[in-house]
Structures are given as structure tokens and as C-alpha cells.
Amino acid sequence: MTKKLYIIRHCSAVGQGQDAPLTREGEGQAERLAEFLLDSKIEWIVSSPYVRARLSIEPLVKRLNVGMQIDARLSERVLSTGHLDNWLCQ
């Protein structure tokens, strides 16, 4: 049997901190993501412990009535211990 793996980063969030919630736009994205993936026969969901990641997939978790495993290995790596205004610049 062929299995599929879906990797989703997160929906639009207020910031980059571990506790940053989704923006209103991000909440809508999460709902649309759940609708998009609803018929994908997903059996297992693993999420980063970051709030924005969990909130991005929670609508799907609720619709599918499956558990969500939190895995700290999916946390973002620390780029700096201080604020970087240009973190997104290339």
C-alpha cells in the first residue's frame, strides 16, 4: 500500500515566538487547509510544539477525530538569542 506524507509549515502567524498565535487570516487558512485535506485519508498527525503549528492543524484534527502527536524535534532552530530585524532578508 502506498502512503503519502504531507508536510505543512504553519498558517500566517502574529510572530515567530513559540507562543505566537495565528492571525485572523491564518485562522481562515487553517480552516481551508482542513477542508482541502479532509478526504485525504489521514490517519496520523504530528506537530511542532509551537502554538502556530498546532493551531494550523487543529481544525483538521477535530474534523478527522484523530490524535495529534507533539514532537519537539519539529521545533525551529534558534537563529539568534536576540531580535533580528532582517531575519527574512536573503
Side-chain angles (χ1 to χ4, degrees):
M1 174 175 34
T2 302
K3 299 216 178 211
K4 291 184 180 180
L5 174 67
Y6 298 94
I7 299 175
I8 300 162
R9 188 166 178 252
H10 61 76
C11 299
S12 181
V14 171
Q16 294 296 310
Q18 288 181 284
D19 296 330
L22 297 180
T23 61
R24 182 164 294 194
E25 177 187 12
E27 291 170 357
Q29 291 170 340
E31 291 295 331
R32 290 190 299 279
L33 177 65
E35 286 298 317
F36 180 77
L37 292 173
L38 190 57
D39 295 327
S40 298
K41 299 180 182 171
I42 293 172
E43 300 172 3
W44 186 47
I45 295 175
V46 181
S47 176
S48 158
Y50 283 36
V51 170
R52 63 184 178 270
R54 292 192 327 262
L55 291 176
S56 294
I57 204 63
E58 277 182 358
L60 181 62
V61 168
K62 289 177 183 175
R63 284 181 173 91
L64 295 177
N65 195 31
V66 297
M68 176 173 34
Q69 178 182 341
I70 304 299
D71 191 328
R73 294 175 296 176
L74 297 175
S75 297
E76 295 181 13
R77 64 187 174 96
V78 176
L79 299 175
S80 172
T81 56
H83 177 73
L84 300 174
D85 288 329
N86 65 346
W87 70 271
L88 193 55
C89 296
Q90 297 181 13

